[in-house]
Amino acid sequence: MNISIIGASGGVGREIVIKLLRDRVLEGRETLQLIGGDPHSAHPHLLQGFRADLLDAYSEVAPQIEVVNDLEAMSGDIVVMTAGRTFATSPESVVHASRDELAAGNLPIFERFAAALAAQKRAVPPVVIIVTNPVELGVSVFSQALPRDYVIGMGAHSDSLRFRAEIAQDLGIRRQRVQGYVVGEHGAGLVPLWSSVRVSGLSADEWQAALRDKIKPLPAAEFPGAVARELKHLVSLLHDDPHDGPARAYEHIATLPPDLRVVLKPLTTHYTEAKTVVATAHAAVDLVEWILQGHSVEIAAQFQHDGENGLSGPFGARMVLAGKVEQILPLDGYTDDEISLLRASHAAVQDKIAQWHPIIV
């Protein structure tokens, strides 16, 4: 199978490309396409140089690597969408960050590449992984151009990995021992599913004891209010003290429950100017590898719903992935409070999509 990385010259795109080569995800006979996200880039030859550098570093294991400028030549069986605007990274800019502004800037980029893929009219559509934010908007746009079971957003998978890591930290164990999912909107509107958490090596009673005595999560009904309150405090720390604010923010976040840390820690990392490129690339490559393997795997990802579980439009859900989306899993086992939180998050996403791109809804 071939892979196309849209936005391969950006921070996340470059990291994904490097990880694909370093982990030997593609075989020598397969092709990795590097595609720029901006046709008017001030550095039109950057990807040619990046390709040469990659072949210098990975010549023994590299697949075929192409730089693609003509979108008609985009041939990936998997297309990873990373192109687009991001928030400014200085701590002073956090107060001005707006997902509405990000959506307005990235909508035409989504539309351009979605239209290019739709025009190809392939017998078998490519699987598109949306990394660019807002993930939900990207899923909506690409799902208008391609069958929706071939389009997923990696936000919920990334949030789920962070959720497991924070729980593992509190338990003093490796993340691999923790299973658990986050659904809903990627970012502040996420829905942590404590009911889904299982820890290898702990019985159900032992896990409940650890949950009560060590982790102490917020009740689901209190989660949105706590997120709003802590985000306001975090913005204040980062904006009012650009020098020491990030360090103080990390110290404060460490005192919070794991689900709040999942929301707040990546935001702080972004505004240190390090961004979250490594974690984002790691999550995206997970999905690439699972799609390549074709085996059934349960994940959480954004998906364009059409009535599943009473939902419509783009929303993070648990699903079975087997080369493409095979099944959206029912809400079995969710607590009543988790379902209420999920419905509220869904309504908020619907409102945002209606504002960002009314034609979609």
Side-chain angles (χ1 to χ4, degrees):
M1 296 180 76
N2 301 327
I3 299 177
S4 302
I5 309 296
I6 300 174
S9 59
V12 172
R14 287 173 65 91
E15 189 68 29
I16 289 172
V17 169
I18 291 169
K19 185 168 175 58
L20 288 171
L21 296 183
R22 186 178 59 233
D23 294 355
R24 305 188 183 190
V25 173
L26 288 171
E27 299 176 354
R29 60 186 174 82
E30 295 174 316
T31 299
L32 176 62
Q33 293 188 322
L34 311 180
I35 303 170
D38 182 0
H40 309 295
S41 171
H43 306 284
H45 306 300
L46 190 154
L47 285 178
Q48 293 289 351
F50 184 35
R51 175 184 181 274
D53 194 25
L54 291 168
L55 292 174
D56 259 355
Y58 298 103
S59 60
E60 298 85 0
V61 299
Q64 304 299 309
I65 303 178
E66 298 177 350
V67 174
V68 174
N69 297 312
D70 179 3
L71 297 190
E72 292 183 1
M74 193 164 34
S75 63
D77 303 291
I78 301 172
V79 176
V80 184
M81 177 67 192
T82 73
R85 296 177 56 184
T86 63
F87 293 127
T89 56
S90 66
E92 299 96 321
S93 67
V94 64
V95 73
H96 306 295
S98 165
R99 283 175 63 84
D100 290 339
E101 181 180 333
L102 203 60
N106 287 338
L107 176 59
I109 300 173
F110 287 141
E111 291 177 328
R112 174 173 176 252
F113 287 101
L117 289 173
Q120 293 180 344
K121 301 186 184 303
R122 302 190 205 177
V124 178
V127 178
V128 179
I129 300 171
I130 307 295
V131 178
T132 306
N133 280 307
V135 169
E136 289 79 14
L137 179 60
V139 168
S140 284
V141 172
F142 277 84
S143 294
Q144 309 308 304
L146 299 169
R148 63 193 179 106
D149 48 335
Y150 285 83
V151 181
I152 57 174
M154 57 132 277
H157 176 56
S158 179
D159 290 335
S160 296
L161 289 177
R162 290 172 172 140
F163 185 46
R164 297 169 195 173
E166 297 298 341
I167 293 170
Q169 176 182 306
D170 285 359
L171 296 177
I173 60 176
R174 293 186 176 188
R175 175 166 62 184
Q176 293 91 327
R177 289 181 55 189
V178 181
Q179 186 77 343
Y181 297 95
V182 169
V183 296
E185 182 183 8
H186 178 45
L190 62 79
V191 179
L193 297 178
W194 286 102
S195 63
S196 72
V197 177
R198 304 290 183 271
V199 180
S200 176
L202 293 186
S203 68
D205 288 344
E206 289 170 331
W207 163 240
Q208 288 301 318
L211 198 61
R212 181 185 64 248
D213 300 333
K214 289 185 178 181
I215 295 177
K216 302 176 182 177
L218 288 169
E222 297 179 18
F223 184 70
V227 168
R229 183 174 63 251
E230 293 295 344
L231 280 173
K232 184 177 180 180
H233 180 56
L234 184 67
V235 167
S236 176
L237 286 173
L238 294 173
H239 179 261
D240 296 345
D241 187 358
H243 185 265
D244 293 326
R248 292 173 59 200
Y250 281 125
E251 290 173 359
H252 175 67
I253 291 167
T255 68
L256 301 174
D259 42 9
L260 286 178
R261 300 201 302 262
V262 171
V263 177
L264 300 170
K265 192 179 289 184
L267 183 66
T268 303
T269 300
H270 179 82
Y271 288 103
T272 63
E273 299 196 32
K275 300 189 179 182
T276 58
V277 294
V278 178
T280 301
H282 174 81
V285 173
D286 275 352
L287 298 180
V288 169
E289 291 189 282
W290 290 330
I291 293 166
L292 287 173
Q293 292 163 2
H295 304 311
S296 293
V297 59
E298 182 180 340
I299 66 166
Q302 270 67 27
F303 177 74
Q304 184 76 5
H305 288 71
D306 186 18
E308 294 87 358
N309 295 320
L311 304 176
S312 60
F315 199 64
R318 293 170 68 176
M319 64 186 65
V320 175
L321 187 70
K324 61 182 181 68
V325 178
E326 289 292 332
Q327 178 188 3
I328 300 300
L329 296 175
L331 306 183
D332 297 347
Y334 289 35
T335 67
D336 290 344
D337 283 345
E338 287 172 344
I339 291 175
S340 295
L341 194 57
L342 183 148
R343 300 293 182 197
S345 177
H346 174 254
V349 171
Q350 286 287 86
D351 288 346
K352 291 176 184 179
I353 294 294
Q355 294 171 25
W356 294 337
H357 196 197
I359 296 173
I360 287 178
V361 295

